[in-house]
Amino acid sequence: MEDLKLRFPGTDVAELPLGTGVHAIGKTGAGDGVVGLVADAGAALASFCVDRRGVWLWVGEGARGVHVNGRPVRRLAMLRVGDTVFVDGVEIVLVSTPPITQIPTGPATPAADADGDPRIVLRGVGGRYHGRSFTLERPRLVGRNADADVRIDDPAFAERHARLDLHDDTVVLRDLGSAEGSVVNGEPVRDAVLRPGDQLVFDAHHRFVVEAPSRVSFRAEPPRLPEDDDPEQIGDPRRGLGQSARRLPWLLLAALLIAAGLSALLLFGSTR
C-alpha cells in the first residue's frame, strides 16, 4: 500500500503519517479543536484504521457532525485518497506521499484523429454529478460554458476550466487558465497525469474518480507441476506402465468370460 498521511488544512497541526493500525483522533487538553492523535482511543471522536484492504473511518461513540465529502457518517466509512473528512468542524484530508505525475511533453490539444477509449471513465462520487459517468472516447471539457461536458453552473467557476483527454492510454488533465486549478488526491494541481483510482475535485465539492479496466489478468498462484522424482504424479511414465501392467490380467480374464458366454449361447441356441 502506498504511504498515506492525514493533512489538517488551515491549522498548525503537522501531517500525520498513517501506518497499519488504528489512529485515534480527538481533542487535546490544550484547546477545543481536533488536533491529532489522542492516547485514549475510547475518547476519540474518530479513528482511522489502516489494513491491507484500505483505510476505514470509525466514528467514536457520541461523536456528532462527522462528514466525508459533505455526507454525514454515523458509524463506518471506507475512504479513498483525496477524501475530505470533517470532525467537529475541523477539516482532515487523506493524502498520499507520491507526488502527482507531471504531464508529458506534447501539444496542448489532442490530435484530431486520436482514438479514445470508452472503457476509461470519469465517475462522479460527489456533487451534482454523483452517480454519473463520462467516458473518455473523446476529450471532455469542464467549465461553466453551456457546451461543457461537465458543466458547473457557478458564477465564480471558469467558463473553460480544464480538459481531460487520452494520450496513448494515458489520462491527461490540462488546465485552461482557471484561477484556482483542480485538486487530485488532495493536492492542488493544474496539469497532471491521472491514474485509475485517482480522485479529481472541481470547485471544492464536485468529485470524480478515474476508472479503467485491468489490462493484465494475474493468477492467485502458479499451478503445481509434477515432480520428476515422484512416480505418483500425473504424467509420470512409470506410473502409467505400472497401472497398465496391473490391469492386464483382469482384462484377459474378462475377455475369456465373454468368449465362454458367447460360445454357450451359440451351442445351446443351435440345439433347440
Side-chain angles (χ1 to χ4, degrees), residues 244-267:
S244 299
R246 289 192 296 269
R247 287 197 299 263
L248 185 57
W250 293 102
L251 291 176
L252 291 175
L253 178 59
L256 291 174
L257 291 174
I258 293 172
L262 291 175
S263 300
L265 288 174
L266 293 174
L267 178 61

Side-chain angles (χ1 to χ4, degrees), residues 42-62:
L45 295 174
S47 297
F48 293 83
C49 308
V50 184
D51 60 22
R52 59 184 179 82
R53 298 169 297 175
V55 182
W56 304 81
L57 173 69
W58 287 86
V59 179
E61 292 290 342

Side-chain angles (χ1 to χ4, degrees), residues 8-270:
F8 300 79
T11 71
D12 296 330
V13 180
E15 293 181 342
L16 173 65
L18 288 184
T20 301
V22 179
H23 307 265
I25 303 296
K27 298 178 180 180
T28 66
D32 296 330
V34 177
V35 296
L37 286 174
V38 293
D40 184 6
L45 295 174
S47 297
F48 293 83
C49 308
V50 184
D51 60 22
R52 59 184 179 82
R53 298 169 297 175
V55 182
W56 304 81
L57 173 69
W58 287 86
V59 179
E61 292 290 342
R64 297 292 184 269
V66 179
H67 293 74
V68 176
N69 300 335
R71 296 176 177 271
V73 177
R74 294 184 178 180
R75 188 59 181 166
L76 175 68
M78 188 171 187
L79 304 179
R80 60 168 60 90
V81 174
D83 281 345
T84 299
V85 181
F86 280 90
V87 179
D88 198 35
V90 175
E91 181 182 2
I92 306 173
V93 182
L94 177 63
V95 298
S96 61
T97 299
I100 305 300
T101 307
Q102 298 296 317
I103 63 170
T105 58
T109 57
D113 58 349
D115 293 329
D117 191 337
R119 299 174 299 172
I120 303 177
V121 301
L122 196 67
R123 181 170 64 87
V125 294
R128 173 185 176 185
Y129 295 99
H130 178 79
R132 290 189 56 185
S133 296
F134 298 87
T135 60
L136 293 182
E137 81 277 5
R138 61 180 179 86
R140 296 293 183 174
L141 175 65
V142 181
R144 185 163 47 89
N145 264 358
D147 62 345
D149 299 284
V150 181
R151 186 168 183 265
I152 300 177
D153 192 12
D154 185 338
F157 201 69
E159 292 187 353
R160 294 173 57 84
H161 178 90
R163 187 187 66 247
L164 292 110
D165 52 58
L166 289 179
H167 290 265
D168 297 328
D169 290 334
T170 300
V171 181
V172 177
L173 168 71
R174 295 187 185 274
D175 191 86
L176 300 179
S178 68
E180 67 280 5
S182 307
V183 177
V184 176
N185 295 341
E187 302 286 353
V189 300
R190 290 196 174 272
D191 301 334
V193 171
L194 305 181
R195 301 170 299 172
D198 282 348
Q199 184 171 179
L200 180 60
V201 182
F202 304 113
D203 196 29
H205 60 276
H206 291 83
R207 295 176 177 270
F208 298 86
V209 172
V210 179
E211 294 184 346
S214 177
R215 303 283 182 183
V216 180
S217 177
F218 294 96
R219 291 175 58 98
E221 58 182 8
R224 183 172 180 265
L225 298 177
E227 300 287 343
D228 290 339
D229 57 351
D230 185 359
E232 295 300 320
Q233 292 297 322
I234 296 175
D236 188 279
R238 290 170 291 177
R239 183 184 183 190
L241 289 175
Q243 289 181 335
S244 299
R246 289 192 296 269
R247 287 197 299 263
L248 185 57
W250 293 102
L251 291 176
L252 291 175
L253 178 59
L256 291 174
L257 291 174
I258 293 172
L262 291 175
S263 300
L265 288 174
L266 293 174
L267 178 61
F268 291 104
S270 60

